[in-house]
């Protein structure tokens, strides 16, 4: 989520008696180009929190209130479109494309009890998200030219609009474009900016800025190689943005807590494997008003 293009918030999470500052690249450092100077992270981003792994349900930070509705849209029948941006993807050898395709071919199916956590969050019509089959609407490698080595927010939004035009979904309120940047690139200052990913709205389509998670430097705390899965950051981080894009596709007009945080922001810990028809994927819990806390199924 983004409240304004560069407004940022600081968040804290109490875990086993210790307080972790979410979004901080090692030792309280994450300012773009100046890793020694801490600053609050982008709202609605998956922040670079230190991972915690427990079998028990995740706990929200002390004092968190329920999320509440702010009058804007939610996605009723979410459809995800994967945009692999740049010719660099023609030679990616880490299996990211089939991994992401398998993830979204599994989400939305009858075996998916994770996405259904979002069903409790309707819009003003009283209708909320519903899932009747795989949410993947399509996958495209936009390889006419290389993705830029360093892209800005407006560049990422323009690529999302290009992908929406390619898929024919510009103006579709249920569409999500996931702009997958290739290895070796720095979208919106990543990884020095202190987020692992973020989502926003171009004016015609909801979209996510998804950096190449395996490029996160050692100690950056984006959740790579967790629960026995080398690509875990892609499912954990993109799952976070997918769920928030459902419940707040035009930030910040959907479902938020009093601090402006979304249902993924409140639960960035206690990652667990979720089994789908297409495989098993590490995921994070999501905030549930019904459950009064962070849950892994709904």
């Amino acid at each position: 989520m983004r409240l304004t293009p560069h407004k940022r918030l600081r968040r804290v999470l109490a875990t086993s008696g210790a307080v972790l500052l979410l979004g901080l690249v090692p030792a309280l450092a994450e300012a773009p180009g100046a890793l020694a100077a801490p600053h609050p992270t982008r709202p609605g981003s998956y922040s670079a929190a230190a991972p915690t792994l427990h079998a028990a349900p995740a706990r929200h930070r002390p004092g968190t209130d329920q999320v509440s509705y702010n009058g804007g849209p939610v996605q009723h029948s979410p459809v995800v479109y994967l945009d692999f941006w740049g010719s660099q993807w023609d030679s990616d050898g880490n299996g990211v494309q089939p991994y992401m395709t398998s993830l979204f071919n599994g989400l939305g199916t009858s075996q998916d009890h994770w996405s259904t956590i979002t069903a409790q969050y309707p819009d003003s019509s009283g209708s909320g998200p519903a899932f009747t089959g795989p949410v993947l609407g399509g996958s495209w490698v936009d390889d006419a030219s290389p993705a830029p080595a360093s892209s800005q927010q407006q560049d990422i939004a323009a690529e999302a609009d290009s992908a929406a035009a390619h898929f024919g979904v510009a103006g579709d309120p249920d569409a999500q474009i996931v702009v997958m940047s290739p290895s070796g690139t720095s979208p919106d200052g990543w990884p020095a900016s202190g987020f692992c990913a973020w989502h926003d709205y171009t004016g015609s389509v909801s979209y996510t800025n998804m950096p190449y998670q395996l490029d996160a430097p050692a100690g950056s705390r984006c959740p790579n190689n967790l629960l026995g899965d080398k690509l875990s950051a892609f499912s954990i981080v993109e799952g976070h943005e997918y769920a928030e894009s459902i419940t707040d596709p035009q930030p910040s007009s959907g479902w938020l807590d009093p601090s402006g945080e979304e249902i993924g922001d409140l639960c960035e810990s206690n990652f667990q494997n979720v089994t789908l028809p297409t495989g098993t994927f590490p995921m994070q819990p999501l905030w549930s008003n019904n459950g009064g806390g962070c849950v892994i199924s709904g």
Side-chain angles (χ1 to χ4, degrees), residues 198-216:
W198 49 253
H199 74 98
D200 207 338
Y201 182 65
T202 69
S204 65
V205 71
S206 175
Y207 75 105
T208 291
N209 168 30
M210 186 66 174
Y212 195 84
Q213 300 296 311
L214 294 179
D215 284 353

Side-chain angles (χ1 to χ4, degrees), residues 7-8 24 28 34 52 74 132 139 144-145 153 158 178 195 232 261:
K7 184 177 178 184
R8 300 173 185 267
L24 302 184
L28 306 183
T52 58
V74 302
T132 57
S139 179
S145 62
Q153 185 274 338
V178 182
F195 58 81
S232 57
E261 298 193 272

Side-chain angles (χ1 to χ4, degrees), residues 5 11 15 67 120 134 139 143 159 182 184 196 203-204 207 214 228 235-236 250 255 266 272 288 291:
R11 304 195 291 276
T15 305
V67 294
Q120 65 189 277
S139 179
D143 60 359
E159 175 63 19
C196 297
S204 65
Y207 75 105
L214 294 179
S235 57
I236 292 170
Q250 297 182 23
W255 288 84
L266 300 172
Q272 300 175 48
S288 170

Side-chain angles (χ1 to χ4, degrees), residues 88-98 182-183 212 214 230-231:
Q88 297 97 320
W89 283 106
D90 291 339
S91 59
D92 180 67
N94 287 310
V96 174
Q97 293 181 56
S183 180
Y212 195 84
L214 294 179
K230 180 183 75 171
L231 300 178

